[in-house]
Amino acid sequence: MNILIVDDQPNIARVTALALELLGCRTFTAQGTAGAAGVLATERIDAVFLDVNLRGESGLEYLSQLVARPHHPPVILFTAGDKEEFAAEARRRGAFNCLSKPFSPEDLRAQIARIEQHLRRRAGALAGQAAPA
């Protein structure tokens, strides 16, 4: 599974990438929305882990742009703040899920399992739509 991590803190992006790679994922990182857009334009991305607070940019605003794309990847928002504080707004805007920093390898493992299940359901639904009547 190809995962894009968007976080303006390189150390957090690096540790998250390492943990996801240990779970068998291929990772890409970006420090902001312009870098994320570049990766999305050139790579097949299965899910995005997006920080809410990017230097001078809003992860919530970028979430709205991501989910406006057809067949957008699931987006997991993460923040150092209170998860419940922004979870309702994030879901309203189309977030797949939310995580609070610091998160554990088990938190990431659980997210990957949920994403894989979601992608299988989506693929099955698309295959069903393509079947002749």
Side-chain angles (χ1 to χ4, degrees):
M1 177 180 311
N2 290 341
I3 307 289
L4 171 59
I5 303 158
V6 185
D7 196 314
D8 61 339
Q9 297 180 28
N11 288 339
I12 292 175
R14 193 172 21 260
V15 169
T16 304
L18 179 60
L20 288 168
E21 288 166 5
L22 290 172
L23 295 171
C25 298
R26 181 174 177 223
T27 62
F28 302 86
T29 60
Q31 290 188 5
T33 60
V39 172
L40 289 165
T42 60
E43 301 291 338
R44 184 187 58 78
I45 298 298
D46 299 306
V48 177
F49 283 72
L50 174 63
D51 191 14
V52 171
N53 295 312
L54 301 167
R55 279 188 201 114
E57 299 180 282
S58 166
L60 278 174
E61 301 229 351
Y62 191 56
L63 167 66
S64 297
Q65 294 175 33
L66 288 172
V67 300
R69 300 165 55 126
H71 307 293
H72 66 84
V75 180
I76 293 83
L77 281 174
F78 49 86
T79 186
D82 181 11
K83 176 181 165 183
E84 299 309 315
E85 187 176 301
F86 75 95
E89 178 66 15
R91 287 192 182 95
R92 186 184 70 70
R93 292 189 187 211
F96 183 76
N97 205 2
C98 302
L99 283 176
S100 293
K101 292 179 187 176
F103 39 83
S104 70
E106 189 53 42
D107 292 332
L108 293 175
R109 182 177 287 113
Q111 290 304 310
I112 294 302
R114 289 187 68 214
I115 293 165
E116 287 173 339
Q117 183 180 40
H118 171 77
L119 294 175
R120 281 192 300 273
R121 280 195 312 265
R122 180 190 282 179
L126 290 174
Q129 290 176 358

